[in-house]
Amino acid sequence: MIFTRRFRYRFGDIDDAGIAYYPKLLHYFHCAFEDWWADALGTPYPTVMQQQKLGLPTVRLEADFFAPVRYGDEPDFHLGVLRIGSSSVEFGFWATRGDDPRPLCRARVVTAAVHMDTMQTRPLPDDWRERFQPFVIGEQEFPSRR
Amino acid sequence: MIFTRRFRYRFGDIDDAGIAYYPKLLHYFHCAFEDWWADALGTPYPTVMQQQKLGLPTVRLEADFFAPVRYGDEPDFHLGVLRIGSSSVEFGFWATRGDDPRPLCRARVVTAAVHMDTMQTRPLPDDWRERFQPFVIGEQEFPSRR
Amino acid sequence: MIFTRRFRYRFGDIDDAGIAYYPKLLHYFHCAFEDWWADALGTPYPTVMQQQKLGLPTVRLEADFFAPVRYGDEPDFHLGVLRIGSSSVEFGFWATRGDDPRPLCRARVVTAAVHMDTMQTRPLPDDWRERFQPFVIGEQEFPSRR
Amino acid sequence: MIFTRRFRYRFGDIDDAGIAYYPKLLHYFHCAFEDWWADALGTPYPTVMQQQKLGLPTVRLEADFFAPVRYGDEPDFHLGVLRIGSSSVEFGFWATRGDDPRPLCRARVVTAAVHMDTMQTRPLPDDWRERFQPFVIGEQEFPSRR
């Protein structure tokens, strides 16, 4: 199952070339990640971090930017889980515009499960492992080119 | 005494109109405030907040934007203290470009002294009151128009 | 008529004090402004700027920050038109949380109508004046304190 | 030759976990890139984009985040050129703190030379190829782990 959330690209998100500043595209991927917790998993990410002391900081990132995003675009940002490890989770994010299925950009994001008080690696709790399971996608579902 | 710090206006700081997005100008005023602590007062603001538990959040802001700032501009951002109260400090910020003394923008920022653990108002400690004193400027030094 | 849009306060929007960095709150007011164009007036702001060459940059701002906003908060951001001048528009923005009508913060924003090619002041077109009219509110509707 | 620029990590750059929000670290790498143009190559990037119509947007990015960056840190951000292609340039960026040579994070950034009016690929001009040459580093100089 793929989680999708549309974001309106904002006035202050544009760089001087008139297109999306790429750190902002990664910011929107993170927004999709936060909304996935709150709206798909049913537990807001702040609650997970503050009450369960579980964080999933990014340790590795690979991103491709295939086509420019402009002010006023409202891309759909998609999230799928590519791999669930013992203490890590790998996510695939990509963005599309309107009915065009070709990705504007994509990112493979490897996160580590950490304890929020120490920022040290911890095993991924089993209940989260199970709740992530429906969002697992195959590599062939993660678009590799435009 | 006026504290001045030059910042290079950044690629990702521009809005779709090709000029500075005004929340970003306020961000640079805050950067000047942080550098004032670290480089003029000699105690970084994180140290003040974390060790002395003193914070100065903004409670009121009045800003005027007189002329556009563009990508590649490197305005000088100026800070002066307009008033030191029992548990508040009022700052004047303004930006100029090159040798032109006319302000591009300015902001009057009223901060409240708070205890960082409770975010409740507390008296401004006397040692800080004394160390702020050399930066007090008169209203006539705070530029009111371009 | 008041235009309201709920925004989820984001992970990267928090400052080191664990509360909303105030330039980010002003950013969300601008997001509400952009959504008002697209969703209430029916013409996206980029279209207005690029095709009609009309821009409404902020020339003056007065803001009050009454109570902290934290990560995970999903405040409602409200927009009303306080005054329509010959070549300026004054907006009132404020944020509330949940059922509590008391404002978390507010901003009075004075914008100037400019021609986007020259950034020079121009008269506000009559059709926009008419379409703004339903959103005019009285000063007493713009919350002045918490 | 490695280009190095120290940036003070800012109040508004911290996420709710109290550490650097990773899109902000990528923003600082871009700031180092901008300063490299202005201060090492002697031509500001806005001039290159606006007058020579040359842009170098990021088309691929690989980043590793080895250790957290916190508010008040002032990491050194380093830039080296890993490869100069016919119409692309590959950069290596990494950050260190104080005298500790171990990287906090790093990013391999592949850029495409484009014409700013069309955003279409163009050959990298020879004069820029020559001026980039002194900053070419070997793969072994680009730190691969902490």
Side-chain angles (χ1 to χ4, degrees):
Chain A
M1 185 163 49
I2 291 164
F3 176 76
T4 296
R5 182 57 51 98
R6 182 167 296 183
F7 291 112
R8 185 165 282 172
Y9 212 79
R10 296 292 175 182
F11 194 58
D13 293 339
I14 292 298
D15 64 28
D16 196 57
I19 61 171
Y21 184 54
Y22 80 81
K24 278 288 177 180
L25 288 170
L26 301 173
H27 167 69
Y28 282 107
F29 285 150
H30 202 279
C31 290
F33 171 80
E34 295 175 51
D35 287 353
W36 174 66
W37 281 95
D39 302 333
L41 300 178
T43 310
Y45 191 49
T47 304
V48 175
M49 286 199 301
Q50 287 159 16
Q51 293 178 13
Q52 305 187 13
K53 298 293 181 183
L54 173 67
L56 286 174
T58 296
V59 293
R60 179 160 175 82
L61 168 74
E62 291 177 24
D64 297 281
F65 303 94
F66 301 116
V69 173
R70 296 177 191 283
Y71 178 44
D73 282 351
E74 302 186 15
D76 289 311
F77 291 82
H78 312 279
L79 174 158
V81 174
L82 290 169
R83 199 181 58 81
I84 305 176
S86 58
S87 60
S88 69
V89 187
E90 189 174 321
F91 294 92
F93 295 95
W94 65 103
T96 55
R97 187 167 38 208
D99 294 333
D100 186 345
R102 294 175 304 159
L104 299 160
C105 53
R106 69 166 200 165
R108 180 186 300 270
V109 172
V110 183
T111 65
V114 300
H115 194 285
M116 287 307 292
D117 288 344
T118 61
M119 297 301 281
Q120 296 301 305
T121 303
R122 52 176 277 184
L124 186 69
D126 282 341
D127 58 332
W128 285 119
R129 186 183 306 275
E130 281 164 33
R131 286 164 74 181
F132 294 171
Q133 199 61 47
F135 296 94
V136 171
I137 59 171
E139 280 287 339
Q140 76 287 354
E141 292 179 83
F142 181 47
S144 62
R145 57 177 300 163
R146 189 175 169 82
Chain B
M1 186 162 50
I2 292 165
F3 176 76
T4 295
R5 182 58 50 97
R6 180 165 298 180
F7 291 112
R8 184 165 284 169
Y9 213 80
R10 295 292 176 183
F11 194 58
D13 293 340
I14 293 297
D15 64 26
D16 196 55
I19 61 171
Y21 184 54
Y22 80 81
K24 278 288 176 181
L25 288 170
L26 303 172
H27 166 69
Y28 282 108
F29 286 150
H30 202 279
C31 291
F33 171 80
E34 295 175 52
D35 286 354
W36 174 67
W37 282 96
D39 301 334
L41 301 177
T43 310
Y45 190 49
T47 303
V48 176
M49 286 199 302
Q50 287 158 16
Q51 293 179 14
Q52 305 187 13
K53 298 291 180 183
L54 172 67
L56 286 174
T58 296
V59 293
R60 180 161 173 82
L61 167 74
E62 291 178 25
D64 296 282
F65 304 93
F66 301 116
V69 174
R70 295 177 190 282
Y71 178 46
D73 281 352
E74 301 186 17
D76 288 312
F77 290 82
H78 311 279
L79 173 159
V81 174
L82 290 168
R83 200 181 58 82
I84 305 177
S86 59
S87 59
S88 68
V89 188
E90 189 175 320
F91 294 91
F93 294 96
W94 65 102
T96 56
R97 186 169 38 209
D99 294 333
D100 186 345
R102 294 176 303 161
L104 298 160
C105 54
R106 70 167 199 164
R108 181 185 301 269
V109 172
V110 183
T111 65
V114 300
H115 194 285
M116 286 307 292
D117 288 343
T118 61
M119 295 304 280
Q120 296 300 306
T121 304
R122 52 176 275 184
L124 186 69
D126 282 343
D127 58 332
W128 286 120
R129 186 183 306 275
E130 281 165 32
R131 287 165 75 181
F132 294 169
Q133 200 60 49
F135 296 94
V136 171
I137 61 172
E139 279 287 339
Q140 76 287 355
E141 293 180 81
F142 181 47
S144 63
R145 56 177 300 166
R146 189 178 168 83
Chain C
M1 187 163 46
I2 292 165
F3 175 76
T4 296
R5 182 58 50 99
R6 181 166 297 182
F7 291 112
R8 185 166 283 171
Y9 212 79
R10 296 291 176 182
F11 194 59
D13 294 340
I14 293 297
D15 64 26
D16 195 56
I19 61 171
Y21 184 54
Y22 81 80
K24 279 287 176 181
L25 288 170
L26 302 172
H27 167 69
Y28 282 108
F29 285 151
H30 202 279
C31 290
F33 172 79
E34 296 175 50
D35 287 353
W36 174 67
W37 282 94
D39 301 333
L41 300 177
T43 310
Y45 191 49
T47 304
V48 176
M49 286 200 303
Q50 289 159 14
Q51 293 179 14
Q52 305 186 13
K53 298 291 181 186
L54 172 67
L56 287 174
T58 296
V59 294
R60 180 159 173 83
L61 167 74
E62 291 177 25
D64 297 281
F65 304 93
F66 301 116
V69 174
R70 296 177 191 283
Y71 178 44
D73 281 351
E74 302 186 14
D76 289 312
F77 291 83
H78 311 279
L79 174 158
V81 173
L82 289 169
R83 201 182 57 81
I84 305 177
S86 58
S87 59
S88 68
V89 187
E90 190 174 319
F91 294 92
F93 294 95
W94 65 102
T96 56
R97 188 170 37 210
D99 294 332
D100 186 345
R102 294 176 305 159
L104 298 160
C105 54
R106 70 167 198 164
R108 181 186 301 270
V109 172
V110 183
T111 65
V114 300
H115 194 285
M116 287 306 292
D117 288 344
T118 62
M119 296 304 280
Q120 296 300 306
T121 304
R122 51 175 276 183
L124 186 70
D126 282 342
D127 59 332
W128 285 119
R129 186 182 307 275
E130 281 165 34
R131 287 165 73 180
F132 294 169
Q133 199 60 48
F135 296 94
V136 171
I137 61 171
E139 279 287 338
Q140 76 288 353
E141 293 180 82
F142 181 47
S144 62
R145 57 176 300 166
R146 188 177 169 80
Chain D
M1 187 164 47
I2 291 164
F3 176 76
T4 296
R5 181 56 50 96
R6 181 167 296 182
F7 291 112
R8 185 166 283 170
Y9 211 79
R10 295 292 175 183
F11 194 58
D13 294 340
I14 292 298
D15 64 28
D16 195 58
I19 61 171
Y21 184 55
Y22 80 82
K24 278 288 177 181
L25 288 170
L26 301 173
H27 168 69
Y28 282 109
F29 285 150
H30 202 279
C31 290
F33 171 80
E34 295 175 50
D35 286 355
W36 174 66
W37 282 95
D39 302 333
L41 300 178
T43 310
Y45 191 49
T47 303
V48 175
M49 284 199 304
Q50 288 159 15
Q51 294 179 13
Q52 305 187 13
K53 298 293 182 184
L54 173 67
L56 286 174
T58 297
V59 294
R60 179 159 174 82
L61 168 73
E62 291 178 25
D64 297 281
F65 303 94
F66 301 117
V69 173
R70 295 177 191 282
Y71 179 44
D73 282 350
E74 302 187 15
D76 289 313
F77 290 82
H78 311 279
L79 174 159
V81 174
L82 290 169
R83 200 182 58 80
I84 305 177
S86 57
S87 59
S88 69
V89 188
E90 189 174 320
F91 293 92
F93 294 95
W94 66 103
T96 56
R97 185 167 41 207
D99 294 333
D100 186 344
R102 293 176 304 160
L104 297 160
C105 54
R106 70 167 200 165
R108 180 186 300 270
V109 172
V110 183
T111 65
V114 300
H115 194 286
M116 286 307 292
D117 288 343
T118 61
M119 297 302 282
Q120 296 300 305
T121 304
R122 52 176 276 183
L124 187 69
D126 282 342
D127 59 332
W128 285 118
R129 186 183 306 275
E130 281 165 31
R131 287 165 74 182
F132 294 169
Q133 199 62 47
F135 296 93
V136 172
I137 59 171
E139 279 287 339
Q140 77 287 354
E141 292 180 81
F142 181 48
S144 61
R145 57 178 297 166
R146 186 174 170 84

